[in-house]
Amino acid sequence: MVTFSHADAGTDEAAWAASGLDTIGELPLDAAELAGMEFVVLVAHPDDESLGAGGLLARLTSAGAHVEVLLCSAGEASHPDSPTTTPEQLAAVRREEFAAAMAAFGLADHWQFLDLPDSGLAQHRAVIAERLTDAIGQRTVAIVAPYRGDGHIDHDTLGSVAAETAEAGGHGLLEYPLWYWLWATPGDTAWRNWVRLPLSPAEQRTKREALHTHASQLRPLSDQPGDEALLSEQFLAHFARPFEVFAWRPPVTGRRGARDAEAVFDALHRSAEDPWKYQDSWYEQRKRSLTLAALPEQKYDAGMEVGCSIGTLSAELAGRCGKFLAVDASGTAVARAAERLARFPGAEARQLTLPEQWPAANFDLIVVSEMGYYLAAAELEELITRIAASLTSGGTLLLCHWRHPVSGWELDGDAVHAMTRSQLRWPSAGIYRERDFVLETFIAPGPDRAGTSA
C-alpha cells in the first residue's frame, strides 16, 4: 500500500524530465480516429480531470468526439481541518468550480454528478459500476479514469472499476496518473509501458484555463491554519508538461484468436496476391529495411519468422540464416512464401496455427512481425513461453507491430510488446518507436535461462 501526503515534497519534476518520460511512445490515435470514438470519463474529485486529462479533453472536444463525464464526489474532504469552511460549503464551491471547468472544455451539458462521498468511493463500487454501465449503454467506448495504482483510495477504486468494465465489455481504457507523479520515482517501471499525448499550445491553454477554475485547491481558503492551498507549485509542475501520460488499452470489438486468424487471413490471401501491399507500399519497404537493420548479428544459424504471410520479409531473413523456417496459419500465404524461399536451400515455409502447433527445433533468431495482436491474450502468453523455450542462449527475438487499434482483435501492438517485456523480463536490446509502429529486439539470457518465464 502506497502511503503519502499531499504535503510531501515527493519526486521533483526535474527527475521525471531527466528520466526519458518525454520519449515514450505516443498515443497512436490521430484526430480523425478520436473523432470517430465515444468516451466516458470518470472523475473522483473536481480538478482530477483538469490535472490528469485536461489536454485530452481539449483534444476530444476540438475533434468533435462524443464525451460524457461522471463526477463521483464533490471533493468535500480536501480541507478536513478548515476553521472557516464546512464540508457542505466546500462541496458547493467545488461543484461550481467543476461546472466552470466543464464549460472551459466545451462540456457544460455533458456531465453528471453521482453525489458519492469523498474518500468513500470504495464503499460504493457497485453504484459506480452501475452508473458507468448505464452511461455506456450498448456502445463500445473508451473509458477515461484515474490510474488504478495511483495510491489514493478513490482514484484506485475508479481505476479498478473502469478496468473491470472495460475488460467485460471490450471497451478501450485510458488511465491518467495523478498522485503517482508525487510518490513514485523514475525507477518504477510502470510508466515505461504508458503512452504520451503531445499537447498543442491551444490545448495547453485550455487545460490551464480549466485548472485555474479550481481556486479552492490552488489558493488558500483563508490565512488560518487548515485552510492552506492543497496543491503545491512543485506538484502542479507535473501537469504543466507539454504532454499528458496515460496507460492505454484499445477497445476490443471481438475476442478472436489464432483459429479465427487462420480463417480470416486464408480468405484474405485468396482474395489478393499481396493483400498488405508488401512489395509496393513505401511503409512496408521502409519498415522491412528498419527490421533487417535492427538485427544485432549479420548471420544466424537457425531463424524463424512467426506470421510470414507471402514471405516478403522471410526471403530477406533467409539470406542471413543457415536454416530458416517461415510459419503462417494461412495455407494460401504459406504456398506463396514457399515460392519466394525456393532459392534458399536451408529454408522452408510451413502452415502452423501458433501457439498450439510449434516446431520441434531451437532457433537463434525468432521474428514476430505484425502478428502478435491476432492472438488472444492467453494465446500470446503461450507463444511467448514457447519462444523463450526455443530461443538459444544469446539468440535474438525481434518484435515489430502496428501501433494503431486493430479492429476486431483483443490486443494492439503496444500491448503485445508490453506483455512480452512483462512476461520475459528480458531487457530490451534496442527499441524504435514512431507513430505507426514499434520495433524491439531482445537477447535471450544465458544457459540458466534466468529472467525468463519458460
Side-chain angles (χ1 to χ4, degrees):
M1 175 67 71
V2 176
T3 302
F4 66 91
S5 165
H6 73 276
D8 294 343
T11 302
D12 192 81
E13 176 59 16
W16 287 112
S19 70
L21 183 65
D22 62 348
T23 66
I24 62 174
E26 292 184 19
L27 178 68
L29 297 170
D30 60 25
E33 289 169 309
L34 292 172
M37 298 171 65
E38 298 185 77
F39 296 81
V40 177
V41 182
L42 286 176
V43 180
H45 320 102
D47 77 8
D48 291 348
E49 79 299 327
S50 299
L51 289 165
L56 173 67
L57 293 177
R59 174 77 54 90
L60 296 180
T61 53
S62 175
H66 182 78
V67 180
E68 298 175 47
V69 182
L70 302 181
L71 173 64
C72 293
S73 86
E76 67 276 7
S78 67
H79 290 76
D81 300 319
S82 172
T84 65
T85 309
T86 67
E88 294 76 18
Q89 290 171 328
L90 189 55
V93 168
R94 297 200 68 185
R95 283 187 62 180
E96 290 180 4
E97 293 173 344
F98 185 79
M102 290 295 99
F105 290 125
L107 296 169
D109 299 321
H110 294 269
W111 65 279
Q112 303 174 43
F113 178 50
L114 305 194
D115 202 11
L116 299 174
D118 186 0
S119 301
L121 298 187
Q123 285 73 52
H124 297 274
R125 290 179 60 93
V127 174
I128 297 166
E130 181 180 1
R131 295 294 294 271
L132 175 58
T133 301
D134 288 345
I136 292 170
Q138 300 302 311
R139 302 169 296 164
T140 297
V141 305
I143 304 171
V144 183
Y147 173 47
R148 74 190 88 166
D150 201 49
H152 187 296
I153 186 63
D154 284 349
H155 297 179
D156 296 355
T157 297
L158 287 196
S160 62
V161 169
E164 291 167 6
T165 304
E167 176 67 24
H171 305 292
L173 180 63
L174 280 160
E175 298 176 68
Y176 53 95
L178 294 160
W179 292 110
Y180 175 88
W181 304 117
L182 177 89
W183 59 260
T185 70
D188 185 75
T189 59
W191 63 271
R192 297 184 182 277
N193 293 323
W194 295 348
V195 295
R196 282 181 306 124
L197 177 70
L199 304 178
S200 69
E203 290 162 349
Q204 292 177 65
R205 284 195 300 271
T206 300
K207 177 172 179 166
R208 286 194 299 270
E209 179 184 348
L211 181 58
H212 288 163
T213 67
H214 297 286
S216 67
Q217 308 302 292
L218 303 177
R219 295 191 289 273
L221 299 178
S222 77
D223 58 2
Q224 298 186 45
D227 275 352
E228 297 85 0
L230 186 75
L231 304 179
S232 69
E233 290 298 323
Q234 184 169 344
F235 179 68
L236 290 170
H238 302 311
F239 306 98
R241 301 165 182 155
F243 58 88
E244 290 176 339
V245 179
F246 301 89
W248 161 239
R249 200 196 76 175
V252 180
T253 56
R255 300 224 173 234
R256 299 187 287 185
R259 288 293 178 186
D260 302 287
E262 180 179 355
V264 168
F265 293 114
D266 203 42
L268 184 65
H269 284 99
R270 285 196 303 269
S271 69
E273 286 291 322
D274 184 1
W276 305 113
K277 307 299 181 187
Y278 289 120
Q279 300 171 87
D280 302 325
S281 162
W282 172 240
Y283 166 79
E284 292 293 345
Q285 294 173 27
R286 177 173 169 271
K287 183 186 65 177
R288 194 157 58 245
S289 295
L290 288 168
T291 298
L292 295 164
L295 296 175
E297 304 296 333
Q298 184 177 8
K299 293 290 184 180
Y300 291 89
D301 292 331
M304 176 170 70
E305 182 185 5
V306 176
C308 66
S309 186
I310 62 174
T312 312
L313 176 60
S314 304
E316 302 273 7
L317 294 170
R320 292 174 63 170
C321 297
K323 295 181 179 180
F324 185 77
L325 175 63
V327 173
D328 200 278
S330 165
T332 305
V334 165
R336 291 179 192 153
E339 294 174 2
R340 284 186 167 80
L341 294 175
R343 59 193 174 95
F344 300 99
E348 67 169 311
R350 194 183 306 171
Q351 182 183 8
L352 295 174
T353 301
L354 302 180
E356 177 184 343
Q357 300 171 313
W358 189 262
N362 290 323
F363 305 91
D364 58 349
L365 170 65
I366 297 179
V367 174
V368 183
S369 180
E370 307 274 25
M371 178 270 184
Y373 31 58
Y374 298 123
L375 301 176
E379 292 173 330
L380 178 61
E381 182 178 349
E382 183 181 350
L383 178 73
I384 295 167
T385 297
R386 289 187 179 275
I387 287 172
S390 299
L391 201 59
T392 59
S393 299
T396 300
L397 168 62
L398 184 146
L399 306 180
C400 183
H401 289 87
W402 173 252
R403 298 189 63 225
H404 297 266
V406 185
S407 179
W409 304 88
E410 182 175 352
L411 304 172
D412 69 352
D414 287 330
V416 170
H417 286 241
M419 282 185 63
T420 303
R421 288 185 219 112
S422 175
Q423 186 173 336
L424 289 179
R425 301 191 301 279
W426 299 351
S428 296
I431 186 166
Y432 172 78
R433 288 189 187 93
E434 58 180 61
R435 183 171 190 84
D436 289 331
F437 68 90
V438 54
L439 191 159
E440 190 166 8
T441 55
F442 302 87
I443 304 300
D448 60 357
R449 311 296 282 172
T452 77
S453 60

